[in-house]
Amino acid sequence: MANRGNQAGTATAAAGGAAQRPNGATQGKICQFKLVLLGESAVGKSSLVLRFVKGQFHEYQESTIGAAFLTQTVCLDDTTVKFEIWDTAGQERYHSLAPMYYRGAQAAIVVYDITNQDTFGRAKVWVKELQRQASPNIVIALAGNKADLAAKRAVEFDEAKGYAEENGLLFMETSAKTAMNVNDIFLAIAKKLPKNDGAGGVGGSSGQGRRLDRAEDGNKPASSCCK
Ligand SMILES: Nc1nc2c(ncn2[C@@H]2O[C@H](COP(=O)(O)OP(=O)(O)OP(=O)(O)O)[C@@H](O)[C@H]2O)c(=O)[nH]1
Ligand SMILES: [Mg+2]
C-alpha cells in the first residue's frame, strides 16, 4: 500500500569513494540501515536517490506517490553498509504517512532546494519532528540540493551550515543533476552510523543497524561491492 506507485529498484554497485579491496576478499561485516529522505515536494529527494542508486538524472522526474523503496550498498574499510532507502513523497497530502517511514530509521536526509527559502524553512520543521519523534540516535544529514543553480541561490551556504552545526547535523550542498556530493553525503552518513556487533534489529528504537550474516544478504554476493 505504502509502496503504491513506487519507482522501486535495487542496485548494489559500489558508490564512488568506497574503499577498494584489491583482492575482492569477503572479509568484514555487513550492516543494514534504514534511511529516510524527507523534504518539501520538488526539492530533489527522488533525484538524489536515483543518482546515488542508479547514477542517473531525469529532468522530468515524476513527483513521488506515497513513497519509493530502493537499496544501495557502500563499502567502508572492512564493513559493507547496506542502505534501505525510503524516499518519501513531499506533497502535503502525504505528510501524515511520514512517521511510518522515519520510525525505526537509523538515518535521515532532510532535503531543501537552495533556490527556495521556503523549502529550507520546511526542512527545519522536519528536523525538529525527527529530533522529537524519531529514534534518539538517528543520524540526520541536511542536503541543500540543486547546488548547480547557484545563480538562483536563495539560501546562503553559511546560514545552512550554521544551522546544521547548532543542531548536530551533517551538512552538504548537493546536486543530483551534476552528482556533486551525492555519494559523499551517503558515505558521510555511513561513516557516522554505529556498526557495533550487538546492533539492534531494523525497526527497533535503538537507532542501531542490524548486522547481517553474509548468507542473509540475499541480493548479491557482497564481495562484488568492494571489487
Ligand atoms: N537543476 C537541478 N534540478 C534538479 C536537481 N534535483 C532535482 N531536480 C529537478 O527538480 C524536480 C523535482 O525533483 P524530484 O526528485 O522529483 O523532487 P522530490 O523532492 O522527489 O519531489 P516529490 O516526490 O514531489 O516529493 C525535477 O524536475 C528534477 O529534475 C538538481 O540537483 N539540480
Ligand atoms: Mg520524489
Side-chain angles (χ1 to χ4, degrees):
M1 169 76 178
N3 251 337
R4 198 161 38 93
N6 77 11
Q7 303 109 33
T10 60
T12 51
Q20 297 290 307
R21 198 169 288 154
N23 60 1
T26 57
Q27 61 200 15
K29 57 192 175 201
I30 306 171
C31 290
Q32 184 171 292
F33 295 102
K34 178 179 172 185
L35 179 149
V36 64
L37 283 102
L38 296 163
E40 190 57 83
S41 184
V43 295
K45 298 179 296 299
S46 301
S47 300
L48 287 169
V49 176
L50 187 69
R51 172 61 75 188
F52 176 58
V53 173
K54 297 187 181 165
Q56 297 173 359
F57 176 75
H58 299 158
E59 285 287 348
Y60 301 101
Q61 178 68 36
E62 281 178 25
S63 186
T64 304
I65 298 166
F69 177 75
L70 299 95
T71 66
Q72 175 62 300
T73 303
V74 299
C75 296
L76 281 179
D77 302 323
D78 67 338
T79 306
T80 301
V81 173
K82 180 174 178 182
F83 283 116
E84 298 185 318
I85 303 168
W86 287 98
D87 168 26
T88 65
Q91 290 179 53
E92 187 67 41
R93 65 177 178 273
Y94 298 114
H95 285 180
S96 62
L97 299 178
M100 245 166 47
Y101 300 108
Y102 66 66
R103 196 173 298 135
Q106 289 88 17
I109 303 180
V110 178
V111 186
Y112 68 93
D113 171 351
I114 68 151
T115 73
N116 183 332
Q117 182 68 231
D118 288 350
T119 67
F120 183 52
R122 187 66 184 97
K124 290 179 178 173
V125 175
W126 279 122
V127 169
K128 221 173 255 174
E129 182 166 338
L130 288 171
Q131 288 171 337
R132 284 195 192 135
Q133 306 203 51
S135 306
N137 299 324
I138 190 167
V139 173
I140 305 174
L142 180 68
N145 193 41
K146 307 197 185 181
D148 56 290
L149 301 177
K152 295 188 190 164
R153 176 184 289 278
V155 182
E156 289 307 320
F157 180 91
D158 287 345
E159 181 188 359
K161 178 135 183 70
Y163 165 77
E165 280 171 5
E166 280 163 25
N167 286 274
L169 318 176
L170 289 166
F171 171 65
M172 286 187 200
E173 287 195 345
T174 59
S175 170
K177 186 168 181 170
T178 67
M180 178 189 128
N181 279 346
V182 176
N183 288 340
D184 310 62
I185 198 164
F186 283 91
L187 276 170
I189 292 167
K191 283 182 188 156
K192 208 172 167 189
L193 284 163
K195 297 163 207 75
N196 304 341
D197 287 355
V202 168
S205 59
S206 68
Q208 292 205 322
R210 172 174 171 232
R211 181 169 172 178
L212 294 176
D213 292 330
R214 290 213 168 258
E216 227 188 300
D217 185 35
N219 279 356
K220 47 114 204 144
S223 59
S224 66
C225 167
C226 298
K227 276 181 185 159

